[in-house]
Amino acid sequence: MIFHNFLIKWYLENKRDLPWRNTTNPYHIWLSEIMLQQTRVAQGMPYFFSFMEAFPTVFDLANADEEKVLKLWQGLGYYSRARNLHKTAQYIATELNGVFPDNYKDLLQLKGVGEYTAAAIASFSYNEAVPVVDGNVFRVLSRYFDVETDIAQTSAKKEFAALAFELMPKDTRGGAELSEANPTIFNQAIMEFGALQCVPKNPDCGNCVFNDSCAALQKKKVDQLPVKSKKLKVRNRYFNYLMLSDAEENTLIQKRTAKGIWHNLYEFPLIETLQEEDFEFVSNAVQQESFFTNPIISMQACNEKSIVHKLSHQHLHIKFWKLNVKGVVENGITKEQLRQYPFPIVIHNFIESE
Protein backbone atom coordinates (compact mmCIF):
# COMPACT_ATOMS: atom_id res chain seq x y z
CA MET A 1 0.00 0.00 0.00
CA ILE A 2 1.47 3.39 -1.01
CA PHE A 3 1.89 6.40 1.26
CA HIS A 4 -1.31 8.25 0.39
CA ASN A 5 -3.44 5.12 0.82
CA PHE A 6 -2.16 4.56 4.37
CA LEU A 7 -2.61 8.24 5.13
CA ILE A 8 -6.15 8.56 3.76
CA LYS A 9 -7.26 5.33 5.43
CA TRP A 10 -6.02 6.71 8.77
CA TYR A 11 -7.76 10.03 8.11
CA LEU A 12 -11.14 8.53 7.32
CA GLU A 13 -11.00 6.57 10.58
CA ASN A 14 -9.67 9.36 12.83
CA LYS A 15 -10.62 12.77 11.42
CA ARG A 16 -12.34 15.41 13.51
CA ASP A 17 -15.79 16.60 12.48
CA LEU A 18 -15.04 20.25 11.74
CA PRO A 19 -17.71 22.52 10.21
CA TRP A 20 -15.55 23.78 7.35
CA ARG A 21 -14.92 20.18 6.24
CA ASN A 22 -18.59 19.63 5.51
CA THR A 23 -18.70 22.16 2.70
CA THR A 24 -16.96 23.19 -0.50
CA ASN A 25 -18.17 26.80 -0.12
CA PRO A 26 -15.03 28.90 -0.67
CA TYR A 27 -16.29 31.66 1.64
CA HIS A 28 -16.53 29.25 4.58
CA ILE A 29 -13.18 27.65 3.79
CA TRP A 30 -11.43 30.99 3.29
CA LEU A 31 -12.83 32.28 6.57
CA SER A 32 -11.73 29.19 8.50
CA GLU A 33 -8.25 29.14 6.99
CA ILE A 34 -7.59 32.80 7.76
CA MET A 35 -8.78 32.25 11.33
CA LEU A 36 -6.67 29.14 11.86
CA GLN A 37 -3.42 30.84 10.88
CA GLN A 38 -1.45 31.04 14.13
CA THR A 39 -4.53 29.75 15.99
CA ARG A 40 -5.49 26.35 17.38
CA VAL A 41 -8.72 24.75 16.13
CA ALA A 42 -10.27 24.73 19.61
CA GLN A 43 -9.64 28.45 19.97
CA GLY A 44 -10.75 29.34 16.45
CA MET A 45 -13.99 27.33 16.35
CA PRO A 46 -16.16 29.74 18.43
CA TYR A 47 -14.94 32.66 16.31
CA PHE A 48 -15.87 30.81 13.12
CA PHE A 49 -19.41 30.27 14.36
CA SER A 50 -19.67 33.91 15.53
CA PHE A 51 -18.55 35.20 12.13
CA MET A 52 -20.87 32.87 10.25
CA GLU A 53 -23.78 34.07 12.37
CA ALA A 54 -22.91 37.75 11.98
CA PHE A 55 -21.81 37.54 8.33
CA PRO A 56 -23.51 34.57 6.60
CA THR A 57 -22.21 35.63 3.18
CA VAL A 58 -19.23 37.48 1.78
CA PHE A 59 -21.58 40.40 1.05
CA ASP A 60 -22.52 40.65 4.74
CA LEU A 61 -18.86 40.76 5.71
CA ALA A 62 -18.09 43.30 3.00
CA ASN A 63 -20.87 45.61 4.17
CA ALA A 64 -19.90 45.42 7.84
CA ASP A 65 -18.16 48.22 9.69
CA GLU A 66 -14.47 47.47 10.28
CA GLU A 67 -14.86 48.06 14.02
CA LYS A 68 -17.54 45.39 14.21
CA VAL A 69 -15.22 42.96 12.41
CA LEU A 70 -12.37 43.78 14.79
CA LYS A 71 -14.66 43.49 17.81
CA LEU A 72 -15.73 39.99 16.77
CA TRP A 73 -12.08 39.11 16.11
CA GLN A 74 -11.04 40.35 19.55
CA GLY A 75 -8.87 37.72 21.24
CA LEU A 76 -7.69 35.91 18.10
CA GLY A 77 -4.64 38.14 17.75
CA TYR A 78 -2.70 39.01 14.57
CA TYR A 79 -5.35 41.62 13.81
CA SER A 80 -4.00 42.35 10.33
CA ARG A 81 -5.73 39.08 9.39
CA ALA A 82 -9.10 40.61 10.28
CA ARG A 83 -8.41 43.85 8.43
CA ASN A 84 -7.28 41.97 5.31
CA LEU A 85 -10.29 39.65 5.63
CA HIS A 86 -12.61 42.66 5.57
CA LYS A 87 -10.85 44.33 2.62
CA THR A 88 -10.79 41.10 0.61
CA ALA A 89 -14.49 40.55 1.26
CA GLN A 90 -15.17 44.04 -0.10
CA TYR A 91 -13.08 43.30 -3.19
CA ILE A 92 -14.82 39.97 -3.86
CA ALA A 93 -18.26 41.50 -3.29
CA THR A 94 -17.77 44.58 -5.45
CA GLU A 95 -15.20 43.57 -8.07
CA LEU A 96 -15.99 39.85 -8.45
CA ASN A 97 -19.75 39.95 -7.80
CA GLY A 98 -19.32 37.76 -4.75
CA VAL A 99 -17.65 34.91 -6.65
CA PHE A 100 -14.32 33.62 -5.37
CA PRO A 101 -11.55 32.81 -7.87
CA ASP A 102 -11.67 29.08 -8.66
CA ASN A 103 -7.95 28.35 -8.96
CA TYR A 104 -4.75 28.65 -6.96
CA LYS A 105 -3.09 31.25 -9.18
CA ASP A 106 -5.98 33.73 -9.01
CA LEU A 107 -6.68 33.10 -5.32
CA LEU A 108 -3.08 34.05 -4.61
CA GLN A 109 -3.86 37.58 -5.85
CA LEU A 110 -6.30 38.24 -3.00
CA LYS A 111 -5.11 40.46 -0.16
CA GLY A 112 -4.10 38.44 2.91
CA VAL A 113 -4.10 35.16 0.97
CA GLY A 114 -0.68 33.55 0.82
CA GLU A 115 0.48 30.31 -0.74
CA TYR A 116 -0.89 28.14 2.04
CA THR A 117 -4.38 29.69 2.13
CA ALA A 118 -4.66 29.83 -1.67
CA ALA A 119 -3.73 26.15 -1.87
CA ALA A 120 -6.23 25.25 0.85
CA ILE A 121 -9.14 27.01 -0.88
CA ALA A 122 -8.17 25.71 -4.33
CA SER A 123 -7.90 22.19 -2.99
CA PHE A 124 -10.85 22.04 -0.58
CA SER A 125 -13.32 24.02 -2.70
CA TYR A 126 -12.27 23.05 -6.23
CA ASN A 127 -10.22 19.85 -5.74
CA GLU A 128 -7.26 21.39 -7.55
CA ALA A 129 -4.10 19.27 -7.32
CA VAL A 130 -2.03 21.76 -5.37
CA PRO A 131 -0.31 20.78 -2.10
CA VAL A 132 -1.08 22.57 1.15
CA VAL A 133 2.10 23.03 3.19
CA ASP A 134 1.75 24.12 6.81
CA GLY A 135 3.65 23.28 9.99
CA ASN A 136 1.94 19.91 10.22
CA VAL A 137 2.98 18.97 6.69
CA PHE A 138 6.57 20.08 7.29
CA ARG A 139 6.68 17.84 10.37
CA VAL A 140 5.13 14.74 8.80
CA LEU A 141 7.24 14.81 5.65
CA SER A 142 10.52 15.75 7.33
CA ARG A 143 10.14 12.85 9.77
CA TYR A 144 8.85 10.25 7.34
CA PHE A 145 11.56 10.94 4.74
CA ASP A 146 14.28 12.20 7.15
CA VAL A 147 14.51 15.59 5.45
CA GLU A 148 16.94 17.84 7.32
CA THR A 149 16.22 21.03 5.39
CA ASP A 150 15.78 24.00 7.74
CA ILE A 151 12.08 24.83 7.41
CA ALA A 152 12.78 28.45 8.43
CA GLN A 153 14.53 28.94 5.07
CA THR A 154 12.42 30.46 2.30
CA SER A 155 13.41 27.67 -0.10
CA ALA A 156 12.04 24.97 2.23
CA LYS A 157 8.39 25.47 1.31
CA LYS A 158 9.13 24.91 -2.37
CA GLU A 159 11.05 21.71 -1.59
CA PHE A 160 8.33 20.28 0.68
CA ALA A 161 5.55 21.35 -1.71
CA ALA A 162 7.26 19.44 -4.52
CA LEU A 163 7.52 16.35 -2.30
CA ALA A 164 3.87 16.62 -1.23
CA PHE A 165 2.79 17.05 -4.86
CA GLU A 166 4.70 13.91 -5.83
CA LEU A 167 2.88 11.93 -3.11
CA MET A 168 -0.54 13.43 -3.82
CA PRO A 169 -3.15 11.49 -5.82
CA LYS A 170 -4.11 13.49 -8.89
CA ASP A 171 -7.76 12.48 -9.37
CA THR A 172 -9.43 15.88 -9.75
CA ARG A 173 -12.85 14.69 -10.89
CA GLY A 174 -15.70 16.28 -8.96
CA GLY A 175 -19.36 15.66 -8.20
CA ALA A 176 -20.57 12.07 -8.05
CA GLU A 177 -17.23 10.88 -9.47
CA LEU A 178 -15.23 12.26 -6.53
CA SER A 179 -13.07 9.43 -5.21
CA GLU A 180 -11.41 9.03 -1.82
CA ALA A 181 -7.98 9.26 -3.46
CA ASN A 182 -8.09 12.93 -4.44
CA PRO A 183 -6.12 16.10 -3.67
CA THR A 184 -8.74 17.43 -1.23
CA ILE A 185 -8.70 14.36 0.99
CA PHE A 186 -4.91 14.01 0.78
CA ASN A 187 -4.30 17.60 1.92
CA GLN A 188 -6.80 17.33 4.75
CA ALA A 189 -5.36 13.96 5.75
CA ILE A 190 -1.73 15.00 5.97
CA MET A 191 -2.56 18.13 7.98
CA GLU A 192 -4.80 16.17 10.32
CA PHE A 193 -2.16 13.49 10.73
CA GLY A 194 0.32 16.13 11.84
CA ALA A 195 -2.22 17.73 14.17
CA LEU A 196 -3.38 14.53 15.89
CA GLN A 197 -0.75 11.80 15.40
CA CYS A 198 2.63 13.18 14.33
CA VAL A 199 2.54 15.93 16.96
CA PRO A 200 5.53 18.16 17.80
CA LYS A 201 6.39 16.61 21.17
CA ASN A 202 6.20 12.98 22.28
CA PRO A 203 4.22 11.51 19.36
CA ASP A 204 2.82 8.01 19.90
CA CYS A 205 5.03 6.33 17.31
CA GLY A 206 4.19 2.87 18.67
CA ASN A 207 0.60 3.29 17.45
CA CYS A 208 1.37 4.93 14.11
CA VAL A 209 0.39 3.53 10.72
CA PHE A 210 3.86 4.46 9.47
CA ASN A 211 5.90 3.00 12.33
CA ASP A 212 7.55 0.41 10.08
CA SER A 213 8.43 2.86 7.29
CA CYS A 214 9.15 6.21 8.99
CA ALA A 215 12.83 7.06 8.47
CA ALA A 216 13.04 9.33 11.54
CA LEU A 217 11.65 6.58 13.79
CA GLN A 218 14.09 4.02 12.44
CA LYS A 219 17.01 6.42 12.93
CA LYS A 220 15.75 7.62 16.35
CA LYS A 221 15.52 11.21 15.07
CA VAL A 222 11.82 11.93 15.64
CA ASP A 223 12.53 14.59 18.27
CA GLN A 224 15.14 16.25 16.03
CA LEU A 225 12.85 16.87 13.06
CA PRO A 226 11.82 19.11 11.50
CA VAL A 227 14.96 21.25 11.65
CA LYS A 228 14.11 24.87 12.39
CA SER A 229 16.58 27.64 13.14
CA LYS A 230 15.90 29.88 16.09
CA LYS A 231 13.46 32.75 15.80
CA LEU A 232 14.47 36.38 15.83
CA LYS A 233 15.29 37.85 19.21
CA VAL A 234 12.18 38.88 21.12
CA ARG A 235 11.82 42.59 21.83
CA ASN A 236 10.62 43.66 25.28
CA ARG A 237 8.36 46.73 25.50
CA TYR A 238 6.93 48.44 28.57
CA PHE A 239 3.42 49.89 28.37
CA ASN A 240 1.80 52.06 31.02
CA TYR A 241 -1.91 52.54 30.34
CA LEU A 242 -3.73 55.45 31.96
CA MET A 243 -7.36 54.79 32.80
CA LEU A 244 -8.92 58.14 33.59
CA SER A 245 -12.05 58.40 35.68
CA ASP A 246 -13.97 61.61 36.29
CA ALA A 247 -16.84 62.26 38.69
CA GLU A 248 -19.27 60.62 36.25
CA GLU A 249 -16.89 57.67 35.69
CA ASN A 250 -16.23 58.68 32.10
CA THR A 251 -12.89 57.56 30.70
CA LEU A 252 -10.74 58.28 27.66
CA ILE A 253 -9.58 55.96 24.88
CA GLN A 254 -7.63 56.42 21.67
CA LYS A 255 -7.30 54.53 18.40
CA ARG A 256 -3.96 53.03 17.37
CA THR A 257 -3.59 54.40 13.84
CA ALA A 258 0.18 53.97 13.40
CA LYS A 259 1.52 50.90 11.67
CA GLY A 260 2.56 48.07 13.95
CA ILE A 261 0.78 45.95 16.51
CA TRP A 262 -2.95 46.42 17.16
CA HIS A 263 -3.52 48.75 14.20
CA ASN A 264 -7.03 50.30 14.34
CA LEU A 265 -7.76 48.81 17.76
CA TYR A 266 -8.43 51.01 20.78
CA GLU A 267 -6.46 51.52 23.97
CA PHE A 268 -6.20 53.85 26.94
CA PRO A 269 -3.73 56.76 26.75
CA LEU A 270 -0.30 55.17 26.74
CA ILE A 271 3.11 56.02 28.13
CA GLU A 272 5.76 53.64 26.81
CA THR A 273 8.96 53.41 28.82
CA LEU A 274 12.33 51.74 28.29
CA GLN A 275 11.93 49.49 31.33
CA GLU A 276 9.39 48.70 34.02
CA GLU A 277 8.91 51.88 36.02
CA ASP A 278 7.53 52.70 39.46
CA PHE A 279 4.78 55.04 40.63
CA GLU A 280 7.00 58.11 40.92
CA PHE A 281 8.40 57.83 37.40
CA VAL A 282 4.99 57.27 35.77
CA SER A 283 3.42 60.03 37.87
CA ASN A 284 6.05 62.52 36.71
CA ALA A 285 5.65 61.35 33.11
CA VAL A 286 1.87 61.88 33.31
CA GLN A 287 2.42 65.50 34.39
CA GLN A 288 4.49 66.12 31.26
CA GLU A 289 2.02 64.56 28.82
CA SER A 290 -0.92 66.39 27.26
CA PHE A 291 -3.48 63.57 27.11
CA PHE A 292 -5.93 65.67 29.13
CA THR A 293 -6.25 68.98 30.98
CA ASN A 294 -8.15 67.80 34.04
CA PRO A 295 -6.31 68.18 37.38
CA ILE A 296 -5.43 64.80 38.92
CA ILE A 297 -7.05 64.01 42.28
CA SER A 298 -5.33 60.67 42.80
CA MET A 299 -3.38 58.01 40.96
CA GLN A 300 -2.91 54.35 41.79
CA ALA A 301 -1.53 51.19 40.20
CA CYS A 302 -4.19 48.66 39.22
CA ASN A 303 -1.58 45.91 39.03
CA GLU A 304 1.65 46.06 41.04
CA LYS A 305 3.34 43.48 38.82
CA SER A 306 3.37 43.89 35.06
CA ILE A 307 1.13 41.68 32.95
CA VAL A 308 3.34 40.02 30.35
CA HIS A 309 1.51 39.75 27.04
CA LYS A 310 3.48 37.67 24.53
CA LEU A 311 3.29 38.35 20.81
CA SER A 312 5.33 36.57 18.14
CA HIS A 313 8.32 38.93 18.26
CA GLN A 314 7.44 41.15 21.21
CA HIS A 315 6.81 40.70 24.90
CA LEU A 316 4.70 43.52 26.30
CA HIS A 317 5.05 44.31 30.00
CA ILE A 318 1.82 46.10 30.82
CA LYS A 319 0.75 48.14 33.81
CA PHE A 320 -2.61 49.86 34.23
CA TRP A 321 -2.83 53.05 36.25
CA LYS A 322 -6.13 54.54 37.44
CA LEU A 323 -6.26 58.34 37.54
CA ASN A 324 -9.15 60.07 39.26
CA VAL A 325 -9.50 63.57 37.83
CA LYS A 326 -11.54 66.70 38.50
CA GLY A 327 -14.24 67.92 36.15
CA VAL A 328 -15.50 66.06 33.10
CA VAL A 329 -13.05 64.33 30.75
CA GLU A 330 -13.29 65.91 27.32
CA ASN A 331 -14.32 63.38 24.65
CA GLY A 332 -14.77 60.81 27.40
CA ILE A 333 -17.00 57.76 27.14
CA THR A 334 -19.02 55.80 29.67
CA LYS A 335 -18.24 52.30 30.92
CA GLU A 336 -21.14 50.97 28.86
CA GLN A 337 -19.79 52.60 25.70
CA LEU A 338 -16.31 51.32 26.50
CA ARG A 339 -17.39 47.71 25.98
CA GLN A 340 -18.54 48.39 22.42
CA TYR A 341 -15.06 49.14 21.08
CA PRO A 342 -12.52 46.59 19.80
CA PHE A 343 -9.52 46.33 22.12
CA PRO A 344 -6.46 44.08 22.29
CA ILE A 345 -7.46 41.12 24.44
CA VAL A 346 -5.17 42.12 27.33
CA ILE A 347 -6.99 45.48 27.62
CA HIS A 348 -10.39 43.86 27.11
CA ASN A 349 -9.67 41.48 29.99
CA PHE A 350 -8.67 44.37 32.21
CA ILE A 351 -11.87 46.25 31.40
CA GLU A 352 -13.96 43.18 32.16
CA SER A 353 -12.22 42.72 35.50
CA GLU A 354 -12.91 46.28 36.62
Side-chain angles (χ1 to χ4, degrees):
M1 189 180 288
I2 56 178
F3 180 88
H4 75 250
N5 287 334
F6 272 111
L7 184 67
I8 291 171
K9 182 176 184 295
W10 175 91
Y11 173 72
L12 295 174
E13 294 172 354
N14 296 278
K15 65 176 180 176
R16 292 168 291 183
D17 183 19
L18 303 176
W20 45 84
R21 285 188 179 151
N22 301 321
T23 180
T24 57
N25 186 324
Y27 173 61
H28 297 181
I29 292 167
W30 167 66
L31 189 61
S32 70
E33 291 298 337
I34 297 296
M35 284 184 169
L36 294 179
Q37 293 170 12
Q38 309 290 339
T39 303
R40 292 175 290 105
V41 168
Q43 183 189 4
M45 186 91 75
Y47 287 89
F48 177 79
F49 287 126
S50 294
F51 265 72
M52 290 309 304
E53 182 178 354
F55 316 120
T57 71
V58 71
F59 293 102
D60 296 308
L61 179 55
N63 292 329
D65 183 77
E66 185 188 76
E67 286 194 3
K68 182 177 181 182
V69 175
L70 290 172
K71 183 65 179 175
L72 275 179
W73 194 273
Q74 186 173 269
L76 267 182
Y78 299 92
Y79 289 89
S80 60
R81 293 182 296 168
R83 294 191 296 272
N84 288 336
L85 191 82
H86 190 219
K87 290 174 183 175
T88 299
Q90 292 173 332
Y91 174 78
I92 292 170
T94 57
E95 301 298 323
L96 303 181
N97 298 316
V99 180
F100 276 76
D102 63 358
N103 63 85
Y104 172 77
K105 184 179 178 181
D106 290 341
L107 285 162
L108 204 54
Q109 305 307 309
L110 299 176
K111 189 176 182 65
V113 174
E115 294 176 354
Y116 163 78
T117 304
I121 301 169
S123 172
F124 303 155
S125 291
Y126 307 114
N127 200 33
E128 184 175 347
V130 55
V132 175
V133 180
D134 68 350
N136 292 312
V137 176
F138 275 132
R139 189 163 57 254
V140 172
L141 295 181
S142 65
R143 286 174 174 173
Y144 186 82
F145 292 101
D146 186 22
V147 180
E148 294 186 338
T149 301
D150 182 353
I151 65 171
Q153 295 178 352
T154 53
S155 59
K157 183 165 283 189
K158 186 175 181 180
E159 178 183 345
F160 280 87
L163 178 55
F165 183 77
E166 185 180 335
L167 299 167
M168 173 187 289
K170 309 300 190 297
D171 187 349
T172 58
R173 292 174 297 174
E177 294 184 319
L178 187 67
S179 69
E180 288 184 351
N182 64 70
T184 299
I185 298 293
F186 175 83
N187 279 330
Q188 290 177 337
I190 196 167
M191 289 195 298
E192 190 78 334
F193 188 79
L196 299 183
Q197 177 67 42
C198 195
V199 295
K201 295 182 180 180
N202 302 315
D204 185 7
C205 298
N207 291 314
C208 177
V209 294
F210 295 120
N211 59 16
D212 62 348
S213 55
C214 174
L217 182 59
Q218 293 170 356
K219 298 178 182 180
K220 295 181 170 50
K221 293 175 61 178
V222 171
D223 61 344
Q224 300 171 33
L225 295 169
V227 173
K228 187 175 183 181
S229 55
K230 291 184 179 180
K231 293 181 180 180
L232 295 173
K233 186 178 179 181
V234 172
R235 175 189 176 193
N236 286 293
R237 300 177 71 181
Y238 301 87
F239 285 7
N240 296 274
Y241 281 118
L242 312 177
M243 185 177 183
L244 307 187
S245 183
D246 62 20
E248 299 178 7
E249 294 194 332
N250 293 320
T251 192
L252 189 66
I253 59 174
Q254 60 191 20
K255 192 173 187 177
R256 290 183 67 97
T257 54
K259 289 186 177 180
I261 62 168
W262 300 339
H263 180 68
N264 282 358
L265 297 183
Y266 287 81
E267 64 183 359
F268 297 114
L270 170 65
I271 294 175
E272 184 170 355
T273 54
L274 297 177
Q275 60 188 23
E276 187 169 328
E277 297 290 358
D278 59 14
F279 175 90
E280 184 178 357
F281 184 96
V282 178
S283 179
N284 289 334
V286 168
Q287 303 293 341
Q288 298 172 27
E289 293 288 350
S290 56
F291 295 122
F292 53 93
T293 57
N294 305 64
I296 301 170
I297 300 172
S298 64
M299 173 177 160
Q300 63 199 63
C302 299
N303 54 304
E304 293 295 336
K305 189 176 181 181
S306 288
I307 298 167
V308 181
H309 186 66
K310 296 181 179 181
L311 304 175
S312 56
H313 298 305
Q314 300 182 36
H315 287 178
L316 309 181
H317 302 257
I318 298 172
K319 280 188 174 181
F320 293 94
W321 303 86
K322 187 169 184 180
L323 280 68
N324 294 306
V325 299
K326 288 183 179 179
V328 177
V329 174
E330 187 178 353
N331 298 320
I333 60 173
T334 66
K335 283 187 175 181
E336 290 72 26
Q337 292 171 323
L338 191 65
R339 287 174 166 80
Q340 297 172 14
Y341 289 84
F343 290 95
I345 192 64
V346 65
I347 300 178
H348 168 78
N349 290 340
F350 170 75
I351 292 169
E352 292 300 311
S353 69
E354 280 291 291

